[in-house]
Amino acid sequence: MRLHFVSFLLEFKHAFGVSGNKRTHTPTVFVSLQMGEFIGYGEACMPVYLGETVENTLAFYQSIHSDINSIKSLVELDIYLKTKLKAVSGLQAAKAALSIAFYDLKGKTEGKSLRQLLNIEAKTCIVTSATIGLDDYKKLEIKLNEARDFKILKVKIGGENDKELITFIRSLTDKPLYVDANQGWNNLDNAIEMTHWLKERNVLLVEQPLPKNNLEQMAILKEKSALPIIADESIRNLEDCKNQYFAFHGINIKLMKCGGIQEAIDLINFAKTKNLKIMLGCMAESSCATAAMAQLASFADYIDLDAPHLINNDPFNGITYINGELILENKIGIGVWPKKNSDLFINRS
Ligand code: MG
């Protein structure tokens, strides 16, 4: 077995603005696990605001590099990863990347897609929202035009002028909207009123309206809201979900938050027992991590897997967007392969 890893900067087509944060790039580390002729790919994406760093991720991979290179089989790798990753705290993105690469490699060696490996029903029509970051009105118009083929838009709100922003967007499109406040609302009464105002304007849900630790008010908002309240920053993993699900109608599950494919499935299974709505989401990722999550699409009530549409320099092939649907190539593993001109992993160890 060979472990390779390399850092990479994903570049946004447009600077990406959310409540309290705007950025042009997202640091990423790509990993590969190679066994004979088969190579599994994975991705650790680290938006700066989450606190995980490329340096820590690379140092972690360096620390397990020789262990993995001495492994001879997938069974042995599976046991090693399960034990090792459980023993390490944090580093969710680094763990997610290894999990993605493991399943990609396993699928390739067994001639199966990730869905087939995990007995997940195939979803033929994956309708995803397209995210519209916070920006000035001129740029918003450009972004709305670029997202014209998508059937649902996810609008980042949570600033001072949310009503003005939505009114502007409604002057240009009547498509259904998800809105994501990214913890930007601070007043409970205003938040309740906003959900009613937004519902009248064909908004379908509100993601993370209040600060992540304000669960008491979030639970009141859930009761009085006109729209489903979906957790993002509040719920990263299964433990968070067990403690906090009562304050939400649903959760946005992301591989980079929960730390792997099995962890995402555990979250989905728990969410189902509590009748929570399931959104499958992504960070600013390439097609690599997004394709892995798209394999789980049949579990989702809402799909927000548009990251490759937002970046300029995706080093992988495998995902295309046609008429607002994410089209996954029918391939083994997670379903992606490096672009020909990508020099990922060349001459690296
Ligand atoms: Mg969000």
Side-chain angles (χ1 to χ4, degrees), residues 154 156 180 182 207-208 232-233 252 254:
K154 175 161 143 179
K156 295 290 191 178
D180 185 355
N182 288 103
E207 197 177 310
Q208 196 66 44
D232 186 4
E233 287 88 341
N252 185 346
K254 299 177 181 176

Side-chain angles (χ1 to χ4, degrees), residues 65-122:
H65 186 244
S66 61
D67 285 351
I68 289 188
N69 286 1
S70 69
I71 286 172
K72 299 274 183 286
S73 72
L74 273 174
V75 174
E76 211 185 318
L77 177 64
D78 192 17
I79 294 167
Y80 174 81
L81 288 178
K82 277 184 183 143
T83 317
K84 186 75 191 178
L85 299 187
K86 204 169 272 177
V88 173
S89 70
L91 294 172
Q92 297 299 92
K95 292 174 181 175
L98 288 171
S99 167
I100 295 165
F102 170 78
Y103 281 104
D104 194 31
L105 179 62
K106 187 173 162 69
K108 284 169 174 165
T109 58
E110 296 183 20
K112 293 177 177 173
S113 68
L114 174 57
R115 283 190 290 241
Q116 290 167 326
L117 273 182
L118 300 176
N119 287 319
I120 297 169
E121 195 185 316

Side-chain angles (χ1 to χ4, degrees), residues 120-150:
I120 297 169
E121 195 185 316
K123 186 169 175 113
T124 45
C125 175
I126 306 179
V127 175
T128 176
S129 49
T131 304
I132 308 294
L134 283 172
D135 224 320
D136 61 56
Y137 286 179
K138 210 171 165 187
K139 288 257 180 62
L140 281 175
E141 202 165 345
I142 294 169
K143 290 177 180 178
L144 286 170
N145 187 43
E146 286 177 358
R148 62 189 171 278
D149 290 342
F150 289 82

Side-chain angles (χ1 to χ4, degrees), residues 114 285-296 318-319 328 334-336:
L114 174 57
E285 307 160 351
S286 79
S287 292
C288 180
T290 304
M293 191 53 128
Q295 299 265 346
L296 312 188
I319 285 181
L328 258 186
I334 58 172
V336 298

Side-chain angles (χ1 to χ4, degrees), residues 185-197:
W185 292 352
N186 281 300
N187 180 294
L188 177 61
D189 291 333
N190 288 350
I192 294 167
E193 192 270 327
M194 270 302 282
T195 64
H196 290 266
W197 188 88

Side-chain angles (χ1 to χ4, degrees), residues 17-21 132-135 137 155-166 179-187 190-191 194 198 206-209:
V18 303
S19 178
N21 170 301
I132 308 294
L134 283 172
D135 224 320
Y137 286 179
V155 179
K156 295 290 191 178
I157 60 171
E160 299 284 290
N161 307 307
D162 286 344
K163 285 188 178 176
E164 201 184 298
L165 172 66
I166 295 296
V179 296
D180 185 355
N182 288 103
Q183 316 182 67
W185 292 352
N186 281 300
N187 180 294
N190 288 350
M194 270 302 282
L198 290 166
V206 182
E207 197 177 310
Q208 196 66 44

Side-chain angles (χ1 to χ4, degrees), residues 300-312:
D301 298 289
Y302 314 111
I303 292 173
D304 181 35
L305 295 176
D306 65 331
H309 170 74
L310 301 175
I311 57 174
N312 260 335

Side-chain angles (χ1 to χ4, degrees), residues 219-250:
I220 299 170
L221 175 59
K222 177 191 171 185
E223 293 309 315
K224 300 192 172 176
S225 172
L227 293 171
I229 303 295
I230 308 296
D232 186 4
E233 287 88 341
S234 287
I235 295 181
R236 294 161 303 162
N237 52 29
L238 183 58
E239 193 187 341
D240 289 343
C241 196
K242 285 179 176 170
N243 293 328
Q244 304 184 20
Y245 74 89
F246 67 89
F248 299 94
H249 296 103

